[in-house]
Amino acid sequence: MKIESLTLREVGMELRHPFETSFGVTRARRILLVEAASEGLSGWGEITAAEGPFYSPETTETAWHVVRDFIAPLLVGKTLNAASELAALLTPIRGHNMAKAGVEAALWDIEAQQKGVPLARLLGGVLEEIACGVSIGLQESTPALLSKIEQELAAGYQRVKIKIKPGRDLELARAVRERFPRIKLMVDANSAYRLEDAAHLKKLDDYYLMMIEQPLAYDDIHQHARLQAQLETPVCLDESIHNARHAQAAIELRACQIINLKLGRVGGYTEARRIHDLCRERTIPLWCGGMLESGVGRAHNIALSSLPGFALPGDVSASQRYWAEDIIEPEVEVSRQGTIRVPTTPGLGFSVRRGRVEKLTVRQETWRAR
Ligand code: OSB
Ligand code: MG
């Protein structure tokens, strides 16, 4: 596939509801969409960097810079045999995994279209439908949280993740458990605790949670191992895992029992599949995380979630939970059983609504092969 052009667009999309975590509140997204063109086909990817460097060091702005000044000059005009060759080409660029992953995703979409197969199939996906959970941000009050959970369970979602932070943890877990004794429940701390909080976090063991996600520092593996040794509740790592070496270290040090895999955080499908294969070999369950994506990123998350190692419900949920109107057609819908069907048409399996994207675009730039 010869990469004839690369277009980067920033779209502004307002969330239907503010999303609050231990690191802050998000009301609107500044999303970067990547469109690559090759031999009459166009492929789409989404860069999952957030507006500020609070989940990861990358931001919308750093990703724009890295694509414009480093990725586009390396890629545009090149001919690759497969999307899987991009990761090696980008190795000289250190970090900036989300920028890399968004570009790589567009190439995978093109390759799947070229071969006339669904992207999920090209990746080695086997599941016909994926299991869906929801990630619920910190709410104004406990009753507000309980009613939100009730609503999501009524919609069919198979597991509930709630965000916690110091001062808003044990009471939330207790209240949710009292009201919903049997649901699949987990908590995500987004690095809000320190190892010294181990005795406090141990009290979460009373609520038989599926897991506690990323309790300690965003760049730590070792202290998570020290913490896991003291908890019954399985630790799941999110922020700390950027590549297969990190995953291997975390598994061998027993820093976690479960991994949240996000395409952007690990730099794309090539690395995601390495982590996936390693976790299968070591029987570490995986699930697919979310980054408040538009339909483009959501469609890629669905394809990724079809791989056989995705043993637990992910944070991949319906378009309607985030957006009054999504930018893909059809929108992502969740069945009453809390599942999403993996598309069976070639490529991403959803079409991008160009008119809608154009309306939402605040800036765009195209680089063409000479
Ligand atoms: O930690 O998983 C996280 C959203 C933005 C940044 C980090 C996280 C999240 C979520 C929401 O939990 C997942 C989603 O619904 O997209
Ligand atoms: Mg998380």
Side-chain angles (χ1 to χ4, degrees):
M1 102 183 56
K2 175 169 181 189
I3 306 305
E4 289 147 4
S5 75
L6 205 62
T7 298
L8 190 59
R9 292 181 177 84
E10 178 181 333
V11 294
M13 292 180 74
E14 204 169 306
L15 286 165
R16 282 184 60 201
H17 310 284
F19 188 77
E20 181 171 358
T21 67
S22 63
F23 58 76
V25 186
T26 306
R27 293 167 203 284
R29 298 290 335 279
R30 293 174 58 199
I31 291 172
L32 298 186
L33 297 175
V34 179
E35 183 181 8
S38 174
E39 294 144 30
L41 296 173
S42 110
W44 290 82
E46 175 167 336
I47 295 177
T48 60
E51 298 65 41
F54 310 118
Y55 165 83
S56 94
E58 288 188 88
T59 68
T60 307
E61 215 52 52
T62 68
W64 188 283
H65 158 58
V66 167
V67 172
R68 180 192 60 202
D69 295 333
F70 301 103
I71 298 178
L74 260 179
L75 178 61
V76 176
K78 286 248 166 49
T79 298
L80 305 182
N81 293 309
S84 59
E85 290 181 358
L86 182 66
L89 189 67
L90 298 183
T91 304
I93 302 171
R94 294 186 181 176
H96 301 285
N97 282 355
M98 293 171 177
K100 292 173 178 173
V103 174
E104 197 219 42
L107 304 196
W108 279 96
D109 180 16
I110 290 177
E111 183 175 337
Q113 292 176 59
Q114 277 180 345
K115 295 183 171 161
V117 297
L119 175 58
R121 187 59 54 80
L122 180 63
L123 293 166
V126 295
L127 306 177
E128 288 175 6
E129 50 182 28
I130 65 165
C132 308
V134 286
S135 173
I136 301 179
L138 288 158
Q139 303 293 308
E140 243 166 50
S141 65
T142 303
L145 174 63
L146 295 175
S147 88
K148 191 109 179 173
I149 293 173
E150 182 148 50
Q151 181 192 321
E152 304 292 13
L153 293 171
Y157 288 102
Q158 298 184 12
R159 77 95 169 95
V160 169
K161 158 168 141 184
I162 62 170
K163 296 288 187 174
I164 58 167
K165 68 177 188 181
R168 296 175 73 184
D169 43 28
L170 302 178
E171 327 70 67
L172 294 184
R174 189 190 321 113
V176 175
R177 259 304 171 232
E178 258 170 31
R179 175 76 176 276
F180 306 103
R182 303 170 68 92
I183 61 168
K184 287 184 181 159
L185 178 65
M186 59 173 289
V187 295
D188 186 358
N190 288 110
S191 296
Y193 297 89
R194 296 163 308 147
L195 185 55
E196 297 78 73
D197 299 319
H200 179 72
L201 293 173
K202 179 143 187 70
K203 296 182 188 148
L204 287 170
D205 284 351
D206 292 348
Y207 307 113
Y208 43 103
L209 305 173
M210 291 176 85
M211 69 195 91
I212 176 170
E213 183 177 347
Q214 196 71 33
L216 307 181
Y218 74 94
D219 56 355
D220 170 79
I221 291 176
H222 178 249
Q223 293 198 339
H224 279 97
R226 304 263 305 264
L227 177 66
Q228 179 67 91
Q230 301 174 61
L231 301 184
E232 295 298 327
T233 305
V235 170
C236 168
L237 289 177
D238 172 357
E239 280 91 327
S240 294
I241 306 296
H242 293 261
N243 54 52
R245 284 177 298 96
H246 290 168
Q248 187 180 356
I251 294 166
E252 290 179 3
L253 288 168
R254 300 182 194 278
C256 66
Q257 300 183 42
I258 299 169
I259 291 178
N260 165 344
L261 190 47
K262 290 179 181 171
L263 219 35
R265 202 190 62 226
V266 305
Y269 285 113
T270 302
E271 197 64 22
R273 291 201 300 178
R274 282 192 194 115
I275 296 173
H276 170 269
D277 294 351
L278 172 76
C279 287
R280 274 203 97 193
E281 202 180 288
R282 307 290 175 94
T283 60
I284 295 289
L286 282 175
W287 54 276
C288 183
M291 291 292 291
L292 310 176
E293 289 93 343
S294 79
V296 172
R298 199 164 300 281
H300 280 287
N301 287 343
I302 294 168
L304 179 67
S305 301
S306 73
L307 270 66
F310 285 78
L312 298 171
D315 281 346
V316 185
S317 48
S319 297
Q320 269 290 312
R321 291 191 63 247
Y322 305 83
W323 319 111
E325 208 181 328
D326 205 340
I327 59 171
I328 55 164
E329 239 165 15
E331 296 206 342
V332 174
E333 285 182 4
V334 169
S335 72
R336 304 303 308 227
Q337 290 71 35
T339 59
I340 295 174
R341 287 208 76 79
V342 179
T344 52
T345 51
L348 208 48
F350 295 85
S351 52
V352 175
R353 296 173 58 192
R354 283 181 182 277
R356 176 109 189 106
V357 167
E358 256 150 50
K359 246 204 213 142
L360 299 173
T361 296
V362 296
R363 57 173 163 166
Q364 90 176 56
E365 199 168 341
T366 298
W367 300 277
R368 287 178 218 285
R370 281 171 297 135

